C-alpha cells in the first residue's frame, strides 16, 4: 500500500524520526470509488479520521460534505472551502454553547440520540434539522462499537417526536454498523430498523427524509476486504427491500475507508532484544507506539501490515512495542507479529494503512516524544 | 484531595473548558515525605508523570534528581536547574544518536536491559555508568507492569558483565515493582533478586554499587494506601535483610507518588441520557475522556475519585464517558460509577488524584478537542 509517490518521498526527503506520509491521489481515488458505488448518497467525510488541511481541501474541491465532531472541526471544514450547508455536526454529545456557535456559523444539521440533546438544540439552534442515531448490534465488525452512541429504535421515535414538538425539523435516522465492517448484511439489518422508525412516525404525520448510514467502510489491513462496489450493491438492495420505491435521501460518512490506505508511517527499529536466553520470542521496539499515533492497536484491535527491507526472508514471531517508558505501550503481544530474522537495530520499517486515526490520536508529548509528524503529498 | 488553594483558584479564575490544576505545596510535601521515609535514598523524580516546568523547578530547588525517558526530558530537567549528574536516562529503549546527545549534555547514568543496548552505550557514551533492569512479578500492584522492561536476573548478570568488558561502569541493578503497588513485601522479593545479581558478579570481581528501586509508590484514589513512612520502613528492613551491613547506594523514582494527589481536573457534564426507557443505568458524558488526559482509565485500571456539588445526596450507578465520537472513549462501564441522582447537564465535577499521567497522555487534537490545559499554582 506504500505508493510509488510515498516511496519516492521517503527516499528523497529522508525525514528524521517517525512520520506519516499520505498520498492525496489515493484519497481522490477513494472518493471517486464511493461516488461510483453509491451514486445516490451524499458523502460526508468523517473529519476526525484525518483532519489534515490538504485532505479537507481536496475533498471540498471534489464536492464532498463533512461530518464533524466539534466546533474546531467545523471551522477546519469551512477553512477548507466547504459551505455550511455541506457540514453536519455529527457528535451526539455537544455543549449547548458549542451548538450555539455552530448555529452562528450556519450549520443546520445535527446528530442526537436523546431528548436531552434535542432540548439543547431547540434552544441553541432553533429550527435546525436533526437526525437520531439508533443502536445497532455491530455484528461482523472487526471493531464493534460500544453502546456509547445511539438509542434503541423505540426511543428514537420519542426523540424525533420531541424534536418536532419543539419546532425542530425531525429529519432522519442514523446508524453506524461498526468500524471496519466486513459483513455486508449489517446494513440490511440497520436499514430495517431505520425503516420501522420512518413508518411509526409517518403514522403520526411526521415524515422523515433522510437515512445517515454512517461509516464502517473498511480499509485493507492484513486481510482482503470487500470493495466499495460490493458495499454499494448490498446497500442499494437493502434500501430497495425496506423502502421500496420511496428511497429516502441517504448520507454516508466514510473516514477510515477514505484515508486509511492512503497513508504509511515510516518508523525505525530502536532495539531488538530478549528477556531471557531461552525466550523464543524477540522483542522489537519501534520509535512509534500506542502513544505516538498507533492508539488503534489497543487490545490488538487493528493489525497493520508492516514491511521491511528484508521482506521475503525467513521470519519469526516478535512482540512489537513502542519507545516510551510505559509498560502498556506494547502493540502486539498476545498474537506476536512475524518479522524477518535479519531485522536489525536502525532498520526502517513501513507501517501501512495508517492514514486514518493516527496523527490526531498522538499524545502531546508523552515521555518527551514529539507528536507524529505528517507529510501530505 | 482538592486543596483549598485549588478550590480558590477554580472559584476565582473560573477557567473555561476542562483543565488540570496542580498545587505545588502538595508536591513539596510529598518530596519531604519521601526524604523522611527513605533518608538514605536519592530521589529521582520520574519526569514523565508530569513534566510541568513549575514542578521540575520546585523539585530541582529542593534537591531532587530526575529520571528521564528521552532527550527532550533531559533538556527539561536541565532547564529547570538540575545539573547533569542529577539526571538519569532511565529508558531502556534508546536510539544510539539520543544516547550520544545525552552524553554530550553530560549525562553519565543509563538504564539497560539487554546486551544490544549496552553495545550502543559503549559506542555513544564511553565509560558511562549503567544499571540493568530486572523483571519482577508485579504481584500486588493495582497495575502490574507487562514484561516490556527488564530481563531475568540471570541475563542481567550477562548484561552487566558485557558492560564491564566494553569499558562501561557496571553500576547496579534496577527494578520496578509495578505501578500503584500496595503490597509492601514486593520490594523484599525484588531486593532478593537484586542481591543475587550483586553476589554473582562480586564472585567475578565486579562490584556493583547501586540499587535503583524504581517507582510504584501509590497515590490515594478511592482506597486508602500505605503512607510513605510504611514503605520506607519495609524497604529498609528488606535492604538490611538481603545486604546486611553492606547496604548499597539506593535510588527511588517516584512519579505518581510525587504528583498524583497534587492535581485535580475540573470538568463539565455535557450530557446525561439513557439508551432505552427501561435502562437503569444513566450515561454521563463529560468534556474530558480517554483521549483528553484520562488515558489511565484504559481497562478501567484507575478509578479516580469524582466530586460534585451534589455530594451527600442519593446516588445511582452511571456509565461515564468522554466527549469524542469514539466508541472506545468510555471510562467506566464494566463497573459503573455511582454519581448523584441530582447531577445535571452543565454541572462541574472535580476528578481528583489526576496530577500524574494526564496532561502529556492527552491527544494532540482528537476530534478537534484541544489538549488538556494545566494550571500549576
Amino acid at each position: 500500500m506504500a505508493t510509488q509517490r510515498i516511496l519516492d518521498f521517503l527516499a528523497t526527503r529522508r525525514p528524521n524520526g517517525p512520520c506519516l506520509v499520505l498520498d492525496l491521489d489515493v484519497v481522490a481515488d477513494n472518493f471517486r470509488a464511493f461516488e461510483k458505488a453509491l451514486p445516490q448518497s451524499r458523502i460526508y467525510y468523517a473529519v476526525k479520521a484525518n483532519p489534515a488541511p490538504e485532505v479537507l481541501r481536496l475533498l471540498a474541491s471534489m464536492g464532498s460534505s463533512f461530518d464533524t465532531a466539534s466546533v474546531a472541526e467545523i471551522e477546519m471544514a469551512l477553512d477548507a472551502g466547504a459551505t455550511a450547508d455541506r457540514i453536519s455536526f455529527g457528535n451526539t454529545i455537544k455543549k449547548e454553547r458549542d451548538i450555539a456557535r455552530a448555529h452562528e456559523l450556519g450549520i443546520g444539521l445535527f446528530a442526537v440520540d436523546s431528548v436531552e440533546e434535542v432540548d439543547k438544540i431547540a434552544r441553541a439552534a432553533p429550527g435546525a434539522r436533526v437526525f437520531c442515531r439508533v443502536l445497532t448490534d455491530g455484528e461482523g465488525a472487526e471493531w464493534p462499537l460500544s453502546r456509547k452512541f445511539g438509542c434503541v429504535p423505540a426511543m428514537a421515535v420519542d426523540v424525533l417526536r420531541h424534536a418536532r414538538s419543539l419546532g425542530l425539523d425531525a429529519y432522519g435516522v442514523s446508524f453506524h454498523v461498526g468500524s471496519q465492517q466486513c459483513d455486508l448484511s449489517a446494513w440490511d439489518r440497520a436499514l430495517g430498523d431505520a425503516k420501522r422508525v420512518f413508518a411509526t412516525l409517518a403514522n403520526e404525520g411526521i415524515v422523515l427524509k433522510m437515512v445517515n448510514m454512517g461509516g464502517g467502510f473498511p480499509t485493507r489491513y492484513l486481510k482482503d476486504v470487500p470493495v466499495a462496489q460490493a458495499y454499494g450493491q448490498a446497500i442499494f438492495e437493502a434500501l430497495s427491500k425496506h423502502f421500496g420505491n420511496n428511497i429516502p435521501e441517504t448520507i454516508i460518512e466514510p473516514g477510515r475507508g477514505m484515508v486509511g490506505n492512503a497513508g504509511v508511517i515510516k518508523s525505525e527499529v530502536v532495539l531488538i532484544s530478549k528477556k531471557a536466553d531461552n525466550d523464543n520470542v524477540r522483542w522489537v521496539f519501534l520509535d512509534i507506539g500506542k502513544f505516538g499515533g498507533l492508539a488503534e492497536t489497543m487490545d490488538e484491535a487493528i493489525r497493520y501490515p508492516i514491511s521491511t527491507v528484508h521482506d521475503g526472508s525467513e521470519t519469526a514471531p516478535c512482540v512489537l512495542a513502542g519507545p516510551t517508558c510505559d509498560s502498556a505501550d506494547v502493540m502486539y503481544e498476545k498474537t506476536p507479529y512475524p518479522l524477518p530474522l535479519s531485522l536489525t537495530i536502525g532498520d526502517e520499517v513501513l507501517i501501512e494503512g495508517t492514514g486514518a486515526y493516527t496523527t490526531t490520536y498522538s499524545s502531546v508529548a508523552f515521555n518527551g516524544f514529539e507528536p507524529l509528524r505528517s507529510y501530505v503529498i
Side-chain angles (χ1 to χ4, degrees), chain A residues 264-310:
Chain A
V264 168
I265 285 175
K266 188 271 294 182
S267 176
E268 175 181 333
V269 176
V270 182
L271 178 65
I272 303 176
S273 63
K274 289 190 170 187
K275 300 292 162 189
D277 280 335
N278 56 357
D279 266 9
N280 51 14
V281 172
R282 294 167 296 165
W283 281 68
V284 173
F285 299 93
L286 302 180
D287 63 359
I288 184 172
K290 260 188 185 156
F291 302 105
L294 301 180
E296 291 206 315
T297 58
M298 191 159 37
D299 300 324
E300 311 198 5
I302 287 194
R303 207 164 166 84
Y304 295 108
I306 297 176
S307 66
T308 77
V309 291
H310 308 286

Side-chain angles (χ1 to χ4, degrees), chain A residues 315-339:
Chain A
T315 67
C318 300
V319 174
L320 199 69
T324 67
C325 283
D326 191 305
S327 74
D329 187 12
V330 177
M331 281 84 80
Y332 305 119
E333 183 175 16
K334 278 177 284 181
T335 309
Y337 203 102
L339 286 173

